Amino acid sequence: KKFYLAICCGNPPDRFMVDEALQRDENHDIAMRVTRSGEMSDQSKPSKTLFVTVARNVSLGQGGAAEAAALQWRLGDTRPFGSKLALREGSNNPAPKEACLVCAIPLTGRTHQIRLHVAHAGFPIIGDPVYGLLCDAAMDRQALHAFKLQVVEAPPLVNRESFLAPLPQDMERCLQVLGIESRSVQDINAMVAEALLSQDDPFWGTTESTKTEERMAE
């Protein structure tokens, strides 16, 4: 089981879930898209991802993130976040007003699942050329990193261990440029574990998305 860290635009809830079926985007060479209501078919694949917000900056480009104010941004190809993401108005530079570090825990394994789910929720990954916002000065690739591998099935006498990988240097620098607090992966792992203890809490079901199961029953 893998846990991922992503540097995203926007100011998400402390924890949220996206439960949206995915299918190929007929208008793009490689992109996926969320299946629209009433459109469920054999092409639609049920998909679910949990997200935990680790750190955030709700005043991007102000205060301690002076570099961020001068950054130049551009939109990715498909823009699944639509109007959910607040961007600076009156400018040819579509800069986000907020940024964050989130942990993503995919419960299914679909193509582009994390990238599309978090963008659809309104918090696209920085550097994602298909679903996100691009800013080469902050991050010249998509800011997504598998930071934890948890062995959930093991042969007898083999420990079910977890392995942690620190953030790459370019993601650490991106956090610094955007004024987002950097934390050790050990601290992040503990925070995520605490959040997952309450996974059965109804709060996990509070999203802007319609549940895949409800759609399939229509």
Side-chain angles (χ1 to χ4, degrees):
K1 185 176 182 179
K2 291 183 179 179
F3 295 68
Y4 296 80
L5 292 173
I7 304 175
C8 301
C9 305
N11 181 23
D14 291 343
R15 50 195 171 110
F16 60 103
M17 176 177 68
V18 179
D19 184 356
E20 293 284 3
L22 304 180
Q23 64 184 70
R24 292 287 179 184
D25 186 339
E26 304 85 353
N27 300 315
H28 195 280
D29 290 340
I30 63 171
M32 304 290 287
R33 66 174 176 85
V34 168
T35 300
R36 292 181 283 269
S37 180
E39 193 189 20
M40 296 299 294
S41 69
D42 293 341
Q43 302 298 318
S44 306
K45 304 297 182 183
S47 310
K48 184 183 293 188
T49 312
L50 304 179
F51 294 94
V52 178
T53 303
V54 174
R56 69 187 86 218
N57 179 3
V58 297
S59 55
L60 193 58
Q62 304 176 23
E67 282 187 77
L71 294 176
Q72 293 296 309
W73 298 79
R74 63 188 190 278
L75 297 170
D77 291 347
T78 62
R79 311 172 194 177
F81 44 86
S83 61
K84 298 175 185 175
L85 177 65
L87 300 173
R88 293 181 195 161
E89 299 178 358
S91 171
N92 293 325
N93 181 19
K97 297 179 180 180
E98 301 139 337
C100 59
L101 177 66
V102 301
C103 173
I105 307 104
L107 303 185
T108 50
R110 311 303 182 195
T111 301
H112 297 182
Q113 176 177 319
I114 294 172
R115 297 162 59 190
L116 180 49
H117 269 177
V118 76
H120 177 73
F123 316 109
I125 295 175
I126 292 171
D128 186 339
V130 180
Y131 311 107
L133 266 69
L134 304 173
C135 180
D136 294 339
M139 192 75 188
D140 60 4
R141 63 175 181 89
Q142 62 182 9
L144 181 64
H145 169 66
F147 89 101
K148 179 180 178 181
L149 174 64
Q150 184 176 21
V151 180
V152 295
E153 294 184 7
L157 305 181
V158 175
N159 292 331
R160 297 185 178 183
E161 296 182 279
S162 294
F163 303 91
L164 299 178
L167 274 178
Q169 290 185 351
D170 58 352
M171 287 185 66
E172 288 282 7
R173 181 184 178 278
C174 183
L175 292 176
Q176 181 180 7
V177 169
L178 299 178
I180 301 172
E181 179 185 1
S182 177
R183 301 186 179 187
S184 72
V185 289
Q186 289 78 13
D187 287 347
I188 293 172
N189 185 49
M191 176 187 298
V192 172
E194 182 177 356
L196 291 179
L197 287 176
S198 58
Q199 185 176 337
D200 293 332
D201 189 306
F203 186 91
W204 278 109
T206 305
T207 67
E208 296 180 7
S209 305
T210 303
K211 296 288 188 294
T212 298
E213 292 83 352
E214 293 174 351
R215 284 183 172 180
M216 296 183 71
E218 291 179 352

